Amino acid sequence: MGIDTIGVVGAGTMGNGIAQVCAVAGLRVTMLDVSDAAVQRGLSTLGGSLDRLIKKGTLTAAQKAEAVARVTGTTDYAALRGADLVVEAATENVEVKLRILRQVDEVVSTDVVLATNTSSISITQLAAVVRRPERFVGLHFFNPVPVMALVEVIRGLQTSDDTQARTLAFAKAIGKTPITVKNGPGFAVNRILCPMINEAIFALQEGMASAEDIDTGMKLGCNHPIGPLALADMVGLDTLLAVMQVFYEGFNDPKYRPAPLLKELVAAGRLGRKTKRGFYSYE
């Protein structure tokens, strides 16, 4: 069974990015959020992102018009009825996600693939609240969605082979490269990435080198496009701390303990780019 119509719950940064790549790939998209204002913000962001692609010469005005025409904004869960796949892309809060998934499950048929874009919450735990949890899967896009090629397809304990196969085919159909990952704290990419960033913070805290030198070392020595401390500022130090705490509690292993300097910066409200100060100043 092919996937032609997509539902996206959440019109924020991740949701409108997912809606954009699906619409550009020729799929019909219903993008849902809690208020008309949130939906309109999402549609406006999507349009602005497509305008930037026109300026770069990678999209024509006609292609933009066709993509925009494929996206419908709504606040009504009943509008998701015709979807072949629904992606939950709401804020990273387990109770919010469980509430949304129950509402989606009430309106869609039992053969629809239900997916979550979570970057840290257990797929097995989320699957447990839907009818037929075997059709539930993790579909973790990376930010910014239109630019980043990778999608992690995460199997919960209940996810069926058929659901996995349909999800992998969907990811490829919208131009992404999927990798298959088992359920576990942080999945594959963040499981490796976040402790590496945390270790860079330990190195800074211990006076091993300056922030600039640590970042230069990783860029030139490991060919990373951005240094770990600059990346932490971009992601948000509060987000990084939350992920490290999930790892620390999920694995019960002291190697995942958050660096004290990370905790201190978050306590001071220095969260990175979004507050104009983190490891670097963005005034």
Side-chain angles (χ1 to χ4, degrees):
M1 185 172 138
I3 291 175
D4 303 307
T5 305
I6 308 298
V8 180
V9 183
T13 302
M14 298 304 289
N16 68 61
I18 295 166
Q20 177 185 324
V21 296
C22 291
V24 169
L27 304 177
R28 292 189 301 279
V29 183
T30 300
M31 184 168 66
L32 181 146
D33 213 315
V34 291
S35 68
D36 288 326
V39 170
Q40 290 307 315
R41 272 196 305 275
L43 292 170
S44 175
T45 302
L46 190 156
S49 180
L50 293 175
D51 284 337
R52 285 192 291 280
L53 295 180
I54 292 171
K55 280 182 186 167
K56 286 180 183 172
T58 57
L59 195 77
T60 66
Q63 286 171 322
K64 178 200 168 179
E66 287 169 8
V68 168
R70 293 187 193 107
V71 182
T72 304
T74 185
T75 57
D76 182 8
Y77 277 85
L80 299 173
R81 278 208 177 97
D84 302 309
L85 181 148
V86 177
V87 186
E88 171 277 310
T91 185
E92 200 69 349
N93 177 297
V94 68
E95 292 308 322
V96 170
K97 289 183 183 294
L98 291 172
R99 187 174 70 245
I100 288 168
L101 291 169
R102 288 189 188 101
Q103 287 179 272
V104 173
D105 194 40
E106 283 175 13
V107 298
V108 300
S109 72
T110 52
D111 59 354
V112 170
V113 174
L114 293 183
T116 175
N117 182 54
T118 184
S119 58
S120 66
I121 297 167
S122 167
I123 305 305
T124 298
Q125 179 184 3
L126 295 176
V129 301
V130 304
R131 296 169 297 166
R132 294 197 57 226
E134 65 271 19
R135 50 79 178 258
F136 191 85
V137 69
L139 192 59
H140 181 215
F141 290 84
F142 289 78
N143 190 23
V145 177
V147 175
M148 301 295 277
L150 183 70
V151 174
E152 286 181 310
V153 174
I154 305 119
R155 296 192 64 152
L157 190 66
Q158 313 93 318
T159 308
S160 70
D161 291 343
D162 177 63
T163 298
Q164 181 197 9
R166 290 178 68 193
T167 308
L168 289 169
F170 161 71
K172 290 172 185 170
I174 61 170
K176 299 300 181 188
T177 301
I179 60 171
T180 299
V181 182
K182 285 201 304 183
N183 186 53
F187 314 129
V189 174
N190 284 337
R191 163 88 179 267
I192 297 163
L193 174 67
C194 294
M196 182 203 75
I197 297 173
N198 193 52
E199 197 61 35
I201 299 168
F202 270 114
L204 177 67
Q205 176 184 305
E206 292 162 14
M208 189 78 65
S210 68
E212 291 83 355
D213 283 351
I214 288 169
D215 279 353
T216 299
M218 292 304 289
K219 284 193 290 184
L220 301 185
C222 296
N223 208 24
H224 289 194
I226 184 172
L229 301 174
L231 180 57
D233 277 353
M234 190 182 293
V235 167
L237 303 193
D238 52 338
T239 302
L240 177 64
L241 177 58
V243 172
M244 290 309 301
Q245 285 168 332
V246 166
F247 290 176
Y248 190 41
E249 291 160 15
F251 291 112
N252 293 314
D253 188 333
K255 78 176 180 179
Y256 294 110
R257 71 197 185 285
L261 177 58
L262 175 61
K263 290 182 175 179
E264 192 166 9
L265 288 172
V266 171
R270 296 185 185 179
L271 309 182
R273 286 179 179 268
K274 60 188 170 187
T275 60
K276 303 274 194 269
R277 285 195 78 180
F279 294 108
Y280 297 97
S281 175
Y282 302 92
E283 296 294 349

